[in-house]
Structure formats: structure tokens, C-alpha cells
Amino acid sequence: MIEPQHIQALFDEVVPSPVLRRWVLVAGLVVMAWLVDLLGRLFLHRVVRAATRHTQWRWDDALYEFGSFRWLARMLPGIVVYYGIELLLPVDDGMGAFVRNLAVCWIIVCVISAMGRALLAFESLYSATPAGKRSIKGVVQLLQMALWIVALVLVITKLTHQSIGLLLSGIGAMSAVLLLVFKDTILGFVAGIQLSTNDMLHVGDWITMSSAGVDGDVIDITLHTVKVRNFDRTIVTVPTWKLISESFQNWRGMAESGGRRIKRELFVDAACVRFLEEEEIERFGRVHLLKAYLERKREDIRRWNEALGEPGKLAVNRRRQTNIGAFRAYAEAYLMAHPDVHERMTRMVRMRDPGAQGIPLEVYCFTNTVAWLDYERIQADIFDHLIAILPEFGLRPFQQPSGGDVREVVAGLRHAVAADA
């Protein structure tokens, strides 16, 4: 059996120069580290990947996909160099100490990188759960930043041979500068905690914020920014702290309620409002949606007028039904019977203050769907019908005179003048 000292003597005889012998040993160590790295990669891609695929756990697949195992494998060459250089070079050798420190720094970087990738894997697994609507991306980014700060402190102390306490005291003296440099990070972190704790924002929420030009769906929440895809397909990036310091509108409550509000006014020309004649009341009594209302209203008005006694003989003192009141009752009954209007939410038609644009009748109800296309279709269907049915009640919608209206009036006046002449 060949003794180690015989191998050492043979090596010294083949390479007599101490300097050359040192570089040969270092080169051999580098080759060994490279071989270990190659074997680690093969083991990772063959054995570890096969093992993760055959388990029912999801966390090992996530750790592999995000590269946590890969960074742990990259740590192996650093371990080989650290222990190998100690065997090849004297302990008090300056070059050996420097290489060992570099190896330690590389191990620290690999460990921190693996931990950072593990945090990303955890975020991915969390996002796939029902609670994943609450984004933790900002917290993960903050933890990654903290890990790299720790890594930087450890690397600097290892390379400069200074104590951690001394380095941290220097950082404390620079706290004012650090606060200025990391101002946005600190603001974003605090804002992210408030958004998450108060359940103010989820990925997928529809938000509007006019001051920032935001009107769309949230697609990403990070430590510093919130990304929103507007409905015109543009991407708006809003600082996280701005969502706390300013007001924004979140439509999540509407989506979760199952109903979307319709609140739109129909303007009626005030000049066409009048009392209903008895024949019109009889005719409207045959309308399915108005029959119950007219019977109830007629009985109520009859009792009122009878209670007036002698003054009730004067028409101005009596109560009478109006065409706009009958239309309002019809519109409300139409909403009650409409299959696409939510039956458990408010449904009404109310008269707003008359103004220069006529008498506003506001339709207030909720659709039984929150899908945008269906909502617009239902809303248009309701107003199509109400506008078309207005003439049946002797009403007409109010609109500003158009160029065609002016031309018709002018043409009529010219015709009248010509006829007189």
C-alpha cells in the first residue's frame, strides 16, 4: 500500500519549485470543485427532480421550480474550496486565508439566495390558496431585502476582519442617510401592511382612482408599486403609499354582492305632463302591469275627494291621476317583473328636481349579474323599452333642439309667410 508521505515525496520530486507546486495544488483544487459542481447539477436534475415529481407534496416542486435546491447545490464548490485549501496551504498563509474567506462569502451568498428563492416558492403556494387574494409580495420582497442586508454585513465583516458590532455602529451613524435612501421602501412597506391588514386591495380587484388615471383590474402588488391594467389595456403603476394617502374606489363589494347598480335618469318634457281622462284610465286599466296600481289609486283618490265635501265639486280641489304618475308606476312595475333585475336589492323609479332639461325620472335598481357586457345589455334593454313606451302615456323625452328641428321651424315659417302673401 502506498503511504501518503510517499505520494508527497514523489510530488515534491516532480515539481521542485514551491511556487509552482502551490499553483498546481490550487489548480487541482479548482478542478475538483468544478467536478463537484458538475456532479451536484447532475444529481439535482436527475435524482432530486425525479424525487419531487413522485411525491404528493407541492412545496418540494415549488422549491425546485424556483431554484432553491439549485442554489444549495452551488454551495458545494465553496465547501470543497474551503476545506481543500486548508489541507493544501499552511494555516498562516495569506493567500490561503483570502481564498477561504472568499469561499465562506460564496457559501453565504448561496444560502441567502436559496432562502430568497424559498420565499418566492412560499408566495407561489400561498397565491394558489383561497387566501391568496391578499398579496404578500411586498412582505416577501421586504424579507428578501433584509436577507441580503444580512448577507452584505456578513460578507463585509468576513473580508475586512471587522466585528459585526463595529459595522452596525457605523450603520447606525448613517441612519439619517439610510432613511433618505430607503424612504420609498419604508413608505411602501407601511402602506403594504395597511392594505393587507385592512383588506383594502386584492389582485384581481377593479379599482378606480381618477388622480392617477386608474380604472381597471389590479394585476400585481409589490413592495413599492401596484400595477393596474386599465380597460383600455394600458398599464398604470401607482406607488403603494399613494393608495393609503389618497382615496380610491374598490368595486370588489359590487362583484361579491352579485348585483350591479343601474342609476340613470330619463328626462321627460314638462310641457306634456297632464291629468288623465277617465277613458285613458280605463284603457290603462287593461295594462297588466298597471291594473293593480290604478285600482288602488282610484279607490284612494275617491275617498280623498269624498272627504272634501262641497269643496270637492271644484276641479282644482280634487285629486286626479297624472300621466307621469301612471308612467312612473308602470316603470317601477316593469322593474319588479324584469327577469334580469335583482329581486333582493332596491328597485324604484323616483322623480328628481325639475330643471332646465325637464323632469328627471331616475331608474334605480340592480342587475342580477356583474358581468360588464350583460350589465350594459340589461341597462340598454330597460331604457329602450321605457323610452319607446313614453308616447303611450302622452309623454315625450326632453332633448335640446337640433339643427333639423331649427330647419323645420324655419321652413314652416317660410311656408306660412308664403301662404299669407
Side-chain angles (χ1 to χ4, degrees), residues 1-12:
M1 183 176 181
I2 302 176
E3 297 293 334
Q5 56 268 24
H6 295 160
I7 298 176
Q8 181 67 34
L10 181 62
F11 181 71
D12 293 343

Side-chain angles (χ1 to χ4, degrees), residues 268 270 272-278 280-281 284 290 293-294 297-298 301 318-330 351 359 361 392-395:
V268 177
C272 61
V273 176
R274 56 179 175 78
F275 292 113
L276 290 176
E277 301 294 338
E278 192 62 32
E280 292 177 310
I281 296 176
F284 289 146
L290 278 178
Y293 165 79
L294 290 176
K297 195 71 173 178
R298 175 181 288 179
I301 291 176
R318 294 198 304 268
R319 284 179 59 190
R320 286 177 286 176
Q321 297 193 49
T322 62
N323 58 349
I324 193 171
F327 173 77
R328 184 167 49 82
Y330 173 84
M351 183 183 295
I359 301 175
L361 293 180
E392 296 291 333
F393 294 86
L395 299 170

